[in-house]
Amino acid sequence: MRPRSPNLPPGDAPVGLPALRSPGRVSELLFLYETATRRHGRLRSIAQVLGLSVQAVSLLYRDARARGWVEEVDGTYRPTLRGIEHLHNAFGNLTVDLEARRRNLAIIRQCWAVAGEALTSGEEVSLVMEGGFLRAKKGRTGPSRGRALQRARRGDLVEVGELQGVVSLRPCPVEIYVLPESWSPLDPVPARLVRVLRGGNHGLLVAEGLEAYHVVEPLAARTPPLRFGGAAAARDASQVGVPALVVVTQERLASLLKRLEEPPPAPPVLLRTLGRGRSRSPKGAG
């Protein structure tokens, strides 16, 4: 988990859309964004772009300067590193909040689910997410409920109507195993990774890059490794509660993490750094 930035509001302060209700908050962000994306030597030109009075922009500038967010450099107003960080935090929180609200607006009247047990037509059911599959079970005890529209045996697909509520989703961490920086495909596979792969306790297995695939493919116990689109697949798996395991080299780690984080919200991540450890080599090595 990332440490909280000193520019972020305290834990009980509003973020996202609610934060924009604070007086002057929108103007503050627009002022900082304008200084970050265009060159302005006079506050009057900023005022014209924002549609504010020069006096209002002058107050915004003085407040931003006092907070260490903006400075004058070579006759122009520029944001400081703290100002850029503040902008990124504010826009990031707003993006996460808007995305969550957008998802809540997606109203679905009917859906398909896997019957968790034998169901009769018209039977009341609860919908739950298990192992990445939406399942319908008898009763109305869950937060998401509906009615089976036809008979179904256990394991059949059944259409559910009269939907109410929202299915609870508990994201799983994406577990990332990083091969040692000086590791070569000709070296033995770290013993810890061999144990994890042979254990097979994951729903999705991703090999990020040729070297990682060379290691993972012969050791995968039951889940074939995914070679392409791994970051997007791991994000989707995490969202529906399916544990994902990713093997990656040190040089590809930064790119992988970036793709996991964008667009937000990012899934929870567990980083495992591997030592050299003695084990057998993957097939074809040496």
Side-chain angles (χ1 to χ4, degrees):
M1 179 179 293
R2 293 180 179 177
R4 175 171 285 275
S5 164
N7 290 330
L8 283 174
D12 57 351
V15 294
L17 280 180
L20 299 183
R21 297 175 59 186
S22 302
R25 174 68 167 169
V26 174
S27 297
E28 167 194 290
L29 294 177
L30 290 175
F31 172 80
L32 278 176
Y33 180 78
E34 190 63 26
T35 62
T37 56
R38 300 190 192 184
R39 296 178 63 87
H40 289 277
R42 301 173 61 195
L43 294 179
R44 180 178 296 278
S45 65
I46 300 178
Q48 290 173 342
V49 172
L50 300 184
L52 299 174
S53 67
V54 176
Q55 182 181 11
V57 171
S58 178
L59 291 174
L60 289 172
Y61 167 67
R62 279 186 283 176
D63 181 64
R65 185 180 59 184
R67 293 171 181 261
W69 291 344
V70 73
E71 59 187 350
E72 287 188 64
V73 179
D74 296 332
T76 61
Y77 299 102
R78 305 295 298 167
T80 63
L81 289 177
R82 287 187 63 190
I84 291 292
E85 183 184 9
H86 175 66
L87 268 180
H88 276 285
N89 287 331
F91 288 166
N93 289 330
L94 183 59
T95 299
V96 171
D97 187 26
L98 288 174
E99 179 61 21
R101 293 171 187 269
R102 187 189 65 79
R103 287 197 302 267
N104 288 337
L105 289 176
I107 300 174
I108 301 174
R109 300 299 182 187
Q110 293 181 191
C111 71
W112 289 91
V114 177
E117 53 196 315
L119 301 173
T120 60
S121 180
E123 186 159 19
E124 292 183 331
V125 297
S126 291
L127 295 173
V128 295
M129 189 68 71
E130 292 181 350
F133 293 99
L134 185 64
R135 300 187 186 275
K137 298 185 175 182
K138 293 181 179 180
R140 296 178 60 84
T141 57
S144 179
R145 302 169 301 280
R147 192 178 299 276
L149 300 184
Q150 64 271 139
R151 293 178 58 188
R153 296 171 299 180
R154 177 184 174 88
D156 287 347
L157 280 181
V158 60
E159 194 170 14
V160 180
E162 301 179 24
L163 295 177
Q164 299 177 25
V166 178
V167 175
S168 297
L169 296 178
R170 296 180 180 178
C172 271
V174 176
E175 198 166 8
I176 302 175
Y177 283 80
V178 186
L179 292 165
E181 186 171 5
S182 58
W183 180 86
S184 161
L186 301 180
D187 293 335
V189 181
R192 182 183 179 189
L193 181 58
V194 173
R195 291 193 298 270
V196 170
L197 292 174
R198 286 178 172 165
N201 298 320
H202 39 265
L204 176 71
L205 180 58
V206 175
E208 186 73 11
L210 179 61
E211 303 97 319
Y213 186 82
H214 183 70
V215 169
V216 172
E217 193 272 334
L219 295 173
R222 59 181 178 83
T223 307
L226 185 66
R227 292 182 59 195
F228 308 108
R235 284 172 56 96
D236 290 346
S238 166
Q239 190 173 49
V240 295
V242 174
L245 186 151
V246 183
V247 179
V248 64
T249 57
Q250 187 76 41
E251 66 177 356
R252 291 178 179 266
L253 177 61
S255 172
L256 171 68
L257 292 175
K258 182 177 181 181
R259 283 178 282 129
L260 284 173
E261 293 176 353
E262 297 176 355
V269 169
L270 295 176
L271 275 178
R272 313 292 194 194
T273 302
L274 296 165
R276 279 186 168 272
R278 297 185 61 82
S279 180
R280 72 172 181 84
S281 297
K283 67 180 181 183

